[in-house]
Amino acid sequence: MKLLISTAALILSASATFAAEATTRIAVEGLTCPSCSYIVATAMKRLDSVEVHEFIAGEAENGLYVLRYDDALTDPQAIVAAVTAVGYRAALEAESGS
């Protein structure tokens, strides 16, 4: 019985965490070298729950970060602010409708 209650509690807490997961795409300009990309990723990951899921190198000095985060702990505007605080231009990428 104790195991059943513990298992149920674990399932409920896991589903609550999953429900708050969000994904966003942040376009960053001014990435002139590999260190720049590292600096930007580190700034993003300093925010609670932010994980860099993918980085897509763009043309010139641009890049796109696909991020996962808990929207109860942070939001896209905070992520953009973290990037601009370390000296890069950043913006939410507009979602393309399919």
Side-chain angles (χ1 to χ4, degrees), residues 29-88:
E29 296 178 9
L31 304 171
T32 58
C33 66
S35 293
C36 293
S37 181
Y38 175 79
I39 291 166
V40 169
T42 300
M44 291 177 182
K45 293 189 292 186
R46 284 188 182 135
L47 297 170
D48 285 340
S49 78
V50 174
E51 296 177 9
V52 177
H53 177 67
E54 182 179 8
F55 172 73
I56 303 165
E59 293 183 26
E61 299 173 350
N62 302 329
L64 181 69
Y65 292 83
V66 180
L67 308 171
R68 290 184 181 157
Y69 61 95
D70 184 333
D71 64 2
L73 299 175
T74 194
D75 60 69
Q77 291 77 21
I79 300 168
V80 169
V83 175
T84 58
V86 293
Y88 298 88

Side-chain angles (χ1 to χ4, degrees), residues 2-19:
K2 198 178 222 182
L3 178 62
L4 181 60
I5 293 171
S6 296
T7 303
L10 180 62
I11 291 170
L12 289 174
S13 67
S15 65
T17 302
F18 180 74

